[in-house]
Amino acid sequence: MALTLTVDRERWRQHLAAVRTGYPGLVPVVKGNGYGFGRAYLVEIVAGWAGEQDGPRELAVGTVHELAGLPVEGPRPIVLTPATAHELVPGVGPAILTVGRAHHVADLAATRLRPPVIVKLASPMHRYGVGPDDLSSLLAAATAADLAVHGFAIHPPLAEAGAPSLEAVLRWVPHLPERSTVYVSHLDAAAYAALVSVAADLRWRIRLGTALWHGDKSCLRLSADVADVQPVRSGERVGYRQVEVAGDGHLVMVTAGSAHGVQALPADGDGPTRSPFHFARRRLDLVEPPHMHTSMVFVPAGGPVPAVGDQIDVQHPLTRTLVDRIVER
């Protein structure tokens, strides 16, 4: 009994190949929960690409804590989030770290670590990032701390993957040294191609996570097994919270819950939260919030009742989901 991510292997690999072709200078992002696949699964794929002539030589993780378990001989990791002082312990190399404020540089200078760094540049996101007026002083501080500047990074808002994000990146071009390596995110293929063409005196790299791994969601299916089915009468109290059942029907135990990150979905407008579970093209009502490894749903009398061993469709963001297994077909 498991929460399963089923992957149409051939179609998904075709999608990945198309993204790699459409985004020269690709740096795959494998941060967090590995976009639902798990970091180890994605790292193995990226490591396979690295052996190809045009394969990526770098990959991106979210924090220094995600460096554990990366293969020594694989693509060089870039840590996207600046590390705080207590996180800077021996063993973070040979990663490339990120700095975006003077205190990030000071924290590194106070340690024995001297990794190469990427300087995060301010964008409309208003997250870690130095502004144009403070860039020269930050670069001087990095030099004084014996930190080699590997490149620069700009992180535009996700909602503006086209022209607005391109404009946010282009505003930085006059402030950067020629032939610098610059990492960007959240640009669609057309905007990225325009950027590479317009600012050809810089070396461009693009970090992709969602567009790479989830760009063709038709290749992916999330499902959970039915572990048990029980008839129930109107007025009976069930579950952890002893919820009163509204009518006759069946209780269905689905093998996905809070331990998998699965939870009720946000409401539509002012309505109640929604169940992520579907069977026979119908949304199954949650009896109570998902708990640990099992969710209890209710099927009213007359509705299609799944049987033990059936699979229930789970519509839940993969970036917030921990699956038990991946099946490639």
Side-chain angles (χ1 to χ4, degrees), residues 57-87:
R57 299 294 181 262
E58 299 168 332
L59 59 76
V61 297
T63 70
V64 293
H65 306 287
E66 295 178 358
L67 294 171
L70 293 181
V72 175
E73 300 299 327
R76 192 175 192 183
I78 296 170
V79 178
L80 299 177
T81 306
T84 54
H86 70 272
E87 296 176 299

PDB file of all heavy atoms in Angstrom, residues 57-87:
ATOM      1  N   ARG A  57      27.267  20.799 -16.313  1.00  0.00           N
ATOM      2  CA  ARG A  57      28.407  20.604 -15.416  1.00  0.00           C
ATOM      3  C   ARG A  57      28.092  21.072 -14.003  1.00  0.00           C
ATOM      4  O   ARG A  57      28.901  20.931 -13.098  1.00  0.00           O
ATOM      5  CB  ARG A  57      29.624  21.379 -15.957  1.00  0.00           C
ATOM      6  CG  ARG A  57      30.075  20.927 -17.333  1.00  0.00           C
ATOM      7  CD  ARG A  57      30.614  19.497 -17.310  1.00  0.00           C
ATOM      8  NE  ARG A  57      31.060  19.055 -18.617  1.00  0.00           N
ATOM      9  CZ  ARG A  57      30.333  18.303 -19.444  1.00  0.00           C
ATOM     10  NH1 ARG A  57      29.123  17.898 -19.077  1.00  0.00           N
ATOM     11  NH2 ARG A  57      30.801  17.938 -20.611  1.00  0.00           N
ATOM     12  N   GLU A  58      26.905  21.649 -13.825  1.00  0.00           N
ATOM     13  CA  GLU A  58      26.475  22.134 -12.517  1.00  0.00           C
ATOM     14  C   GLU A  58      25.024  21.745 -12.284  1.00  0.00           C
ATOM     15  O   GLU A  58      24.266  21.519 -13.236  1.00  0.00           O
ATOM     16  CB  GLU A  58      26.611  23.656 -12.433  1.00  0.00           C
ATOM     17  CG  GLU A  58      28.038  24.178 -12.603  1.00  0.00           C
ATOM     18  CD  GLU A  58      28.095  25.676 -12.795  1.00  0.00           C
ATOM     19  OE1 GLU A  58      27.111  26.265 -13.312  1.00  0.00           O
ATOM     20  OE2 GLU A  58      29.120  26.267 -12.432  1.00  0.00           O
ATOM     21  N   LEU A  59      24.641  21.668 -11.031  1.00  0.00           N
ATOM     22  CA  LEU A  59      23.242  21.523 -10.644  1.00  0.00           C
ATOM     23  C   LEU A  59      23.012  22.405  -9.426  1.00  0.00           C
ATOM     24  O   LEU A  59      23.963  22.834  -8.765  1.00  0.00           O
ATOM     25  CB  LEU A  59      22.867  20.063 -10.376  1.00  0.00           C
ATOM     26  CG  LEU A  59      23.601  19.267  -9.299  1.00  0.00           C
ATOM     27  CD1 LEU A  59      23.159  19.635  -7.885  1.00  0.00           C
ATOM     28  CD2 LEU A  59      23.394  17.772  -9.514  1.00  0.00           C
ATOM     29  N   ALA A  60      21.756  22.693  -9.137  1.00  0.00           N
ATOM     30  CA  ALA A  60      21.448  23.611  -8.039  1.00  0.00           C
ATOM     31  C   ALA A  60      20.622  22.915  -6.969  1.00  0.00           C
ATOM     32  O   ALA A  60      19.653  22.202  -7.276  1.00  0.00           O
ATOM     33  CB  ALA A  60      20.700  24.833  -8.558  1.00  0.00           C
ATOM     34  N   VAL A  61      21.029  23.118  -5.705  1.00  0.00           N
ATOM     35  CA  VAL A  61      20.250  22.656  -4.562  1.00  0.00           C
ATOM     36  C   VAL A  61      19.807  23.884  -3.765  1.00  0.00           C
ATOM     37  O   VAL A  61      20.272  24.994  -3.997  1.00  0.00           O
ATOM     38  CB  VAL A  61      21.075  21.702  -3.669  1.00  0.00           C
ATOM     39  CG1 VAL A  61      21.455  20.442  -4.435  1.00  0.00           C
ATOM     40  CG2 VAL A  61      22.320  22.389  -3.117  1.00  0.00           C
ATOM     41  N   GLY A  62      18.893  23.657  -2.813  1.00  0.00           N
ATOM     42  CA  GLY A  62      18.331  24.796  -2.116  1.00  0.00           C
ATOM     43  C   GLY A  62      19.201  25.343  -1.010  1.00  0.00           C
ATOM     44  O   GLY A  62      19.370  26.559  -0.877  1.00  0.00           O
ATOM     45  N   THR A  63      19.754  24.452  -0.178  1.00  0.00           N
ATOM     46  CA  THR A  63      20.518  24.879   0.988  1.00  0.00           C
ATOM     47  C   THR A  63      21.755  24.004   1.147  1.00  0.00           C
ATOM     48  O   THR A  63      21.892  22.961   0.506  1.00  0.00           O
ATOM     49  CB  THR A  63      19.675  24.752   2.278  1.00  0.00           C
ATOM     50  OG1 THR A  63      19.486  23.351   2.585  1.00  0.00           O
ATOM     51  CG2 THR A  63      18.313  25.422   2.124  1.00  0.00           C
ATOM     52  N   VAL A  64      22.649  24.415   2.042  1.00  0.00           N
ATOM     53  CA  VAL A  64      23.844  23.617   2.307  1.00  0.00           C
ATOM     54  C   VAL A  64      23.483  22.254   2.880  1.00  0.00           C
ATOM     55  O   VAL A  64      24.234  21.289   2.736  1.00  0.00           O
ATOM     56  CB  VAL A  64      24.818  24.346   3.256  1.00  0.00           C
ATOM     57  CG1 VAL A  64      25.406  25.573   2.580  1.00  0.00           C
ATOM     58  CG2 VAL A  64      24.135  24.725   4.572  1.00  0.00           C
ATOM     59  N   HIS A  65      22.324  22.136   3.512  1.00  0.00           N
ATOM     60  CA  HIS A  65      21.906  20.860   4.086  1.00  0.00           C
ATOM     61  C   HIS A  65      21.558  19.842   3.001  1.00  0.00           C
ATOM     62  O   HIS A  65      21.547  18.635   3.261  1.00  0.00           O
ATOM     63  CB  HIS A  65      20.708  21.062   5.009  1.00  0.00           C
ATOM     64  CG  HIS A  65      20.950  22.104   6.067  1.00  0.00           C
ATOM     65  ND1 HIS A  65      21.767  21.905   7.147  1.00  0.00           N
ATOM     66  CD2 HIS A  65      20.499  23.377   6.170  1.00  0.00           C
ATOM     67  CE1 HIS A  65      21.805  22.995   7.894  1.00  0.00           C
ATOM     68  NE2 HIS A  65      21.047  23.906   7.321  1.00  0.00           N
ATOM     69  N   GLU A  66      21.268  20.325   1.806  1.00  0.00           N
ATOM     70  CA  GLU A  66      20.925  19.413   0.707  1.00  0.00           C
ATOM     71  C   GLU A  66      22.152  18.921  -0.055  1.00  0.00           C
ATOM     72  O   GLU A  66      22.011  18.179  -1.027  1.00  0.00           O
ATOM     73  CB  GLU A  66      19.945  20.121  -0.247  1.00  0.00           C
ATOM     74  CG  GLU A  66      18.609  20.420   0.406  1.00  0.00           C
ATOM     75  CD  GLU A  66      17.638  21.153  -0.512  1.00  0.00           C
ATOM     76  OE1 GLU A  66      17.997  21.468  -1.655  1.00  0.00           O
ATOM     77  OE2 GLU A  66      16.516  21.425  -0.057  1.00  0.00           O
ATOM     78  N   LEU A  67      23.330  19.302   0.402  1.00  0.00           N
ATOM     79  CA  LEU A  67      24.549  18.810  -0.238  1.00  0.00           C
ATOM     80  C   LEU A  67      24.837  17.366   0.145  1.00  0.00           C
ATOM     81  O   LEU A  67      25.515  16.643  -0.594  1.00  0.00           O
ATOM     82  CB  LEU A  67      25.741  19.684   0.155  1.00  0.00           C
ATOM     83  CG  LEU A  67      25.715  21.131  -0.349  1.00  0.00           C
ATOM     84  CD1 LEU A  67      26.837  21.930   0.290  1.00  0.00           C
ATOM     85  CD2 LEU A  67      25.839  21.170  -1.870  1.00  0.00           C
ATOM     86  N   ALA A  68      24.336  16.936   1.295  1.00  0.00           N
ATOM     87  CA  ALA A  68      24.608  15.580   1.767  1.00  0.00           C
ATOM     88  C   ALA A  68      24.069  14.563   0.766  1.00  0.00           C
ATOM     89  O   ALA A  68      22.933  14.658   0.294  1.00  0.00           O
ATOM     90  CB  ALA A  68      23.958  15.357   3.137  1.00  0.00           C
ATOM     91  N   GLY A  69      24.891  13.583   0.448  1.00  0.00           N
ATOM     92  CA  GLY A  69      24.459  12.515  -0.439  1.00  0.00           C
ATOM     93  C   GLY A  69      24.703  12.766  -1.907  1.00  0.00           C
ATOM     94  O   GLY A  69      24.481  11.880  -2.731  1.00  0.00           O
ATOM     95  N   LEU A  70      25.154  13.976  -2.272  1.00  0.00           N
ATOM     96  CA  LEU A  70      25.443  14.231  -3.678  1.00  0.00           C
ATOM     97  C   LEU A  70      26.707  13.468  -4.073  1.00  0.00           C
ATOM     98  O   LEU A  70      27.668  13.401  -3.298  1.00  0.00           O
ATOM     99  CB  LEU A  70      25.642  15.720  -3.934  1.00  0.00           C
ATOM    100  CG  LEU A  70      24.422  16.628  -3.774  1.00  0.00           C
ATOM    101  CD1 LEU A  70      24.806  18.072  -4.096  1.00  0.00           C
ATOM    102  CD2 LEU A  70      23.270  16.182  -4.658  1.00  0.00           C
ATOM    103  N   PRO A  71      26.742  12.908  -5.277  1.00  0.00           N
ATOM    104  CA  PRO A  71      27.927  12.149  -5.690  1.00  0.00           C
ATOM    105  C   PRO A  71      29.142  13.055  -5.853  1.00  0.00           C
ATOM    106  O   PRO A  71      29.038  14.173  -6.369  1.00  0.00           O
ATOM    107  CB  PRO A  71      27.508  11.530  -7.025  1.00  0.00           C
ATOM    108  CG  PRO A  71      26.399  12.396  -7.531  1.00  0.00           C
ATOM    109  CD  PRO A  71      25.690  12.883  -6.308  1.00  0.00           C
ATOM    110  N   VAL A  72      30.284  12.570  -5.414  1.00  0.00           N
ATOM    111  CA  VAL A  72      31.516  13.360  -5.478  1.00  0.00           C
ATOM    112  C   VAL A  72      31.889  13.672  -6.916  1.00  0.00           C
ATOM    113  O   VAL A  72      32.373  14.769  -7.235  1.00  0.00           O
ATOM    114  CB  VAL A  72      32.664  12.615  -4.767  1.00  0.00           C
ATOM    115  CG1 VAL A  72      33.981  13.369  -4.921  1.00  0.00           C
ATOM    116  CG2 VAL A  72      32.339  12.407  -3.291  1.00  0.00           C
ATOM    117  N   GLU A  73      31.654  12.730  -7.809  1.00  0.00           N
ATOM    118  CA  GLU A  73      32.065  12.888  -9.201  1.00  0.00           C
ATOM    119  C   GLU A  73      30.967  13.473 -10.089  1.00  0.00           C
ATOM    120  O   GLU A  73      31.119  13.509 -11.305  1.00  0.00           O
ATOM    121  CB  GLU A  73      32.507  11.530  -9.766  1.00  0.00           C
ATOM    122  CG  GLU A  73      33.684  10.905  -9.032  1.00  0.00           C
ATOM    123  CD  GLU A  73      34.923  11.773  -9.089  1.00  0.00           C
ATOM    124  OE1 GLU A  73      35.123  12.462 -10.108  1.00  0.00           O
ATOM    125  OE2 GLU A  73      35.696  11.772  -8.099  1.00  0.00           O
ATOM    126  N   GLY A  74      29.871  13.900  -9.514  1.00  0.00           N
ATOM    127  CA  GLY A  74      28.777  14.425 -10.315  1.00  0.00           C
ATOM    128  C   GLY A  74      28.948  15.890 -10.650  1.00  0.00           C
ATOM    129  O   GLY A  74      29.997  16.500 -10.375  1.00  0.00           O
ATOM    130  N   PRO A  75      27.930  16.504 -11.251  1.00  0.00           N
ATOM    131  CA  PRO A  75      27.978  17.941 -11.542  1.00  0.00           C
ATOM    132  C   PRO A  75      28.213  18.744 -10.264  1.00  0.00           C
ATOM    133  O   PRO A  75      27.776  18.366  -9.178  1.00  0.00           O
ATOM    134  CB  PRO A  75      26.584  18.212 -12.128  1.00  0.00           C
ATOM    135  CG  PRO A  75      26.104  16.895 -12.626  1.00  0.00           C
ATOM    136  CD  PRO A  75      26.678  15.872 -11.704  1.00  0.00           C
ATOM    137  N   ARG A  76      28.895  19.859 -10.413  1.00  0.00           N
ATOM    138  CA  ARG A  76      29.238  20.675  -9.244  1.00  0.00           C
ATOM    139  C   ARG A  76      27.981  21.361  -8.707  1.00  0.00           C
ATOM    140  O   ARG A  76      27.241  22.002  -9.457  1.00  0.00           O
ATOM    141  CB  ARG A  76      30.271  21.715  -9.630  1.00  0.00           C
ATOM    142  CG  ARG A  76      30.903  22.416  -8.432  1.00  0.00           C
ATOM    143  CD  ARG A  76      32.000  23.353  -8.870  1.00  0.00           C
ATOM    144  NE  ARG A  76      32.786  23.816  -7.737  1.00  0.00           N
ATOM    145  CZ  ARG A  76      33.780  24.688  -7.834  1.00  0.00           C
ATOM    146  NH1 ARG A  76      34.105  25.179  -9.017  1.00  0.00           N
ATOM    147  NH2 ARG A  76      34.454  25.058  -6.759  1.00  0.00           N
ATOM    148  N   PRO A  77      27.726  21.267  -7.397  1.00  0.00           N
ATOM    149  CA  PRO A  77      26.506  21.863  -6.854  1.00  0.00           C
ATOM    150  C   PRO A  77      26.630  23.351  -6.573  1.00  0.00           C
ATOM    151  O   PRO A  77      27.670  23.841  -6.127  1.00  0.00           O
ATOM    152  CB  PRO A  77      26.298  21.091  -5.541  1.00  0.00           C
ATOM    153  CG  PRO A  77      27.653  20.638  -5.149  1.00  0.00           C
ATOM    154  CD  PRO A  77      28.429  20.432  -6.421  1.00  0.00           C
ATOM    155  N   ILE A  78      25.556  24.056  -6.864  1.00  0.00           N
ATOM    156  CA  ILE A  78      25.387  25.459  -6.503  1.00  0.00           C
ATOM    157  C   ILE A  78      24.309  25.520  -5.428  1.00  0.00           C
ATOM    158  O   ILE A  78      23.233  24.936  -5.588  1.00  0.00           O
ATOM    159  CB  ILE A  78      24.953  26.294  -7.721  1.00  0.00           C
ATOM    160  CG1 ILE A  78      26.045  26.302  -8.789  1.00  0.00           C
ATOM    161  CG2 ILE A  78      24.582  27.707  -7.303  1.00  0.00           C
ATOM    162  CD1 ILE A  78      25.589  26.909 -10.103  1.00  0.00           C
ATOM    163  N   VAL A  79      24.596  26.201  -4.337  1.00  0.00           N
ATOM    164  CA  VAL A  79      23.617  26.366  -3.259  1.00  0.00           C
ATOM    165  C   VAL A  79      22.899  27.693  -3.471  1.00  0.00           C
ATOM    166  O   VAL A  79      23.521  28.760  -3.458  1.00  0.00           O
ATOM    167  CB  VAL A  79      24.298  26.328  -1.880  1.00  0.00           C
ATOM    168  CG1 VAL A  79      23.265  26.541  -0.783  1.00  0.00           C
ATOM    169  CG2 VAL A  79      25.029  24.999  -1.681  1.00  0.00           C
ATOM    170  N   LEU A  80      21.585  27.625  -3.659  1.00  0.00           N
ATOM    171  CA  LEU A  80      20.831  28.821  -4.041  1.00  0.00           C
ATOM    172  C   LEU A  80      20.579  29.777  -2.881  1.00  0.00           C
ATOM    173  O   LEU A  80      20.509  30.990  -3.078  1.00  0.00           O
ATOM    174  CB  LEU A  80      19.491  28.402  -4.654  1.00  0.00           C
ATOM    175  CG  LEU A  80      19.561  27.556  -5.920  1.00  0.00           C
ATOM    176  CD1 LEU A  80      18.164  27.162  -6.367  1.00  0.00           C
ATOM    177  CD2 LEU A  80      20.281  28.307  -7.027  1.00  0.00           C
ATOM    178  N   THR A  81      20.408  29.252  -1.672  1.00  0.00           N
ATOM    179  CA  THR A  81      20.061  30.097  -0.530  1.00  0.00           C
ATOM    180  C   THR A  81      21.309  30.445   0.271  1.00  0.00           C
ATOM    181  O   THR A  81      22.071  29.546   0.638  1.00  0.00           O
ATOM    182  CB  THR A  81      19.068  29.368   0.392  1.00  0.00           C
ATOM    183  OG1 THR A  81      17.943  28.940  -0.371  1.00  0.00           O
ATOM    184  CG2 THR A  81      18.596  30.287   1.512  1.00  0.00           C
ATOM    185  N   PRO A  82      21.539  31.721   0.551  1.00  0.00           N
ATOM    186  CA  PRO A  82      22.694  32.078   1.390  1.00  0.00           C
ATOM    187  C   PRO A  82      22.636  31.355   2.727  1.00  0.00           C
ATOM    188  O   PRO A  82      21.564  31.195   3.318  1.00  0.00           O
ATOM    189  CB  PRO A  82      22.541  33.591   1.563  1.00  0.00           C
ATOM    190  CG  PRO A  82      21.728  34.036   0.398  1.00  0.00           C
ATOM    191  CD  PRO A  82      20.780  32.910   0.112  1.00  0.00           C
ATOM    192  N   ALA A  83      23.794  30.888   3.183  1.00  0.00           N
ATOM    193  CA  ALA A  83      23.856  30.155   4.448  1.00  0.00           C
ATOM    194  C   ALA A  83      24.090  31.114   5.610  1.00  0.00           C
ATOM    195  O   ALA A  83      24.844  32.083   5.491  1.00  0.00           O
ATOM    196  CB  ALA A  83      24.975  29.115   4.391  1.00  0.00           C
ATOM    197  N   THR A  84      23.443  30.846   6.731  1.00  0.00           N
ATOM    198  CA  THR A  84      23.694  31.632   7.931  1.00  0.00           C
ATOM    199  C   THR A  84      24.956  31.101   8.621  1.00  0.00           C
ATOM    200  O   THR A  84      25.435  30.003   8.320  1.00  0.00           O
ATOM    201  CB  THR A  84      22.501  31.545   8.895  1.00  0.00           C
ATOM    202  OG1 THR A  84      22.208  30.159   9.153  1.00  0.00           O
ATOM    203  CG2 THR A  84      21.272  32.188   8.287  1.00  0.00           C
ATOM    204  N   ALA A  85      25.478  31.862   9.560  1.00  0.00           N
ATOM    205  CA  ALA A  85      26.781  31.560  10.145  1.00  0.00           C
ATOM    206  C   ALA A  85      26.850  30.147  10.723  1.00  0.00           C
ATOM    207  O   ALA A  85      27.834  29.433  10.536  1.00  0.00           O
ATOM    208  CB  ALA A  85      27.113  32.592  11.221  1.00  0.00           C
ATOM    209  N   HIS A  86      25.820  29.723  11.452  1.00  0.00           N
ATOM    210  CA  HIS A  86      25.886  28.415  12.110  1.00  0.00           C
ATOM    211  C   HIS A  86      25.794  27.251  11.130  1.00  0.00           C
ATOM    212  O   HIS A  86      26.058  26.106  11.502  1.00  0.00           O
ATOM    213  CB  HIS A  86      24.780  28.285  13.171  1.00  0.00           C
ATOM    214  CG  HIS A  86      23.409  28.182  12.605  1.00  0.00           C
ATOM    215  ND1 HIS A  86      22.636  29.285  12.315  1.00  0.00           N
ATOM    216  CD2 HIS A  86      22.649  27.107  12.278  1.00  0.00           C
ATOM    217  CE1 HIS A  86      21.478  28.905  11.848  1.00  0.00           C
ATOM    218  NE2 HIS A  86      21.448  27.592  11.807  1.00  0.00           N
ATOM    219  N   GLU A  87      25.429  27.521   9.859  1.00  0.00           N
ATOM    220  CA  GLU A  87      25.366  26.458   8.860  1.00  0.00           C
ATOM    221  C   GLU A  87      26.699  26.241   8.146  1.00  0.00           C
ATOM    222  O   GLU A  87      26.867  25.236   7.448  1.00  0.00           O
ATOM    223  CB  GLU A  87      24.313  26.802   7.800  1.00  0.00           C
ATOM    224  CG  GLU A  87      22.904  26.881   8.319  1.00  0.00           C
ATOM    225  CD  GLU A  87      21.934  27.327   7.236  1.00  0.00           C
ATOM    226  OE1 GLU A  87      22.107  28.456   6.729  1.00  0.00           O
ATOM    227  OE2 GLU A  87      21.035  26.553   6.893  1.00  0.00           O
TER     228      GLU A  87
END
